[in-house]
Every structure is written in structure tokens, then in C-alpha cells.
């Protein structure tokens, strides 16, 4: 089974499936610039051996969100408080 077919079977979005094309998981992981796609992928595998655990995925997502706070306008505290 190709990685593209695997993603289709998992319910990945059409844009990701098209982008993956004939890439392998390893190549897609190395080339993908969409962090949201990568977090989705690891989130789908958190119970599988060798993949990050749920807690590790949540901590990663929190760190990403924290780094994005610099783009929030001054005085807008809702994203930081969330």
C-alpha cells in the first residue's frame, strides 16, 4: 500500500493526499511544511508503538501555539488564556 492510499484510508484531507503524491512517509515527513498535517498524522497513531504518546503530542501542540502568540495583536489575551 502506498502512503497516499494509507492517508486516504485514514481520512486525510484532499489537499494532503494530493501533496503526498508518490512520496513515502519518510520523504513526506522530511519535506512537509504543514505542521498541522504532521500533528494530525501523529495524533492518529498515538496508540501505536514507536509513535509519540498522546501527552507528547499535546505538549508539542502547546509549544507550537505558544510560539504563535507573537502574531496575536497587542491587548488580545484570549489566545494566551486559552
Amino acid at each position: 500500500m502506498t502512503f497516499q492510499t494509507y492517508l486516504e484510508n485514514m481520512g486525510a484531507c484532499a489537499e494532503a493526499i494530493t501533496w503526498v503524491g508518490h512520496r513515502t512517509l519518510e520523504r513526506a515527513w522530511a519535506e512537509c511544511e504543514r505542521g498541522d498535517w504532521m500533528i494530525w498524522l501523529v495524533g492518529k497513531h498515538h496508540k501505536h508503538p514507536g509513535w509519540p504518546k498522546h501527552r507528547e503530542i499535546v505538549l508539542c501542540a502547546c509549544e507550537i501555539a505558544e510560539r504563535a502568540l507573537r502574531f496575536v495583536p497587542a491587548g488580545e489575551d484570549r489566545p494566551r488564556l486559552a
Side-chain angles (χ1 to χ4, degrees), residues 18-77:
T18 300
W19 179 85
V20 162
H22 296 291
R23 288 175 176 91
T24 62
L25 167 61
E26 293 79 11
R27 184 171 163 215
W29 190 268
E31 296 177 359
C32 185
E33 295 184 4
R34 293 284 307 261
D36 55 325
W37 289 356
M38 307 318 284
I39 288 178
W40 178 87
L41 180 63
V42 296
K44 290 287 191 176
H45 292 85
H46 75 276
K47 293 182 180 179
H48 297 241
W51 286 84
K53 303 293 181 224
H54 183 262
R55 178 177 169 79
E56 295 169 318
I57 298 165
V58 170
L59 290 173
C60 177
C62 289
E63 186 169 330
I64 292 167
E66 186 175 16
R67 290 178 185 208
L69 288 176
R70 64 188 176 109
F71 299 107
V72 177
E76 175 56 79
D77 286 332

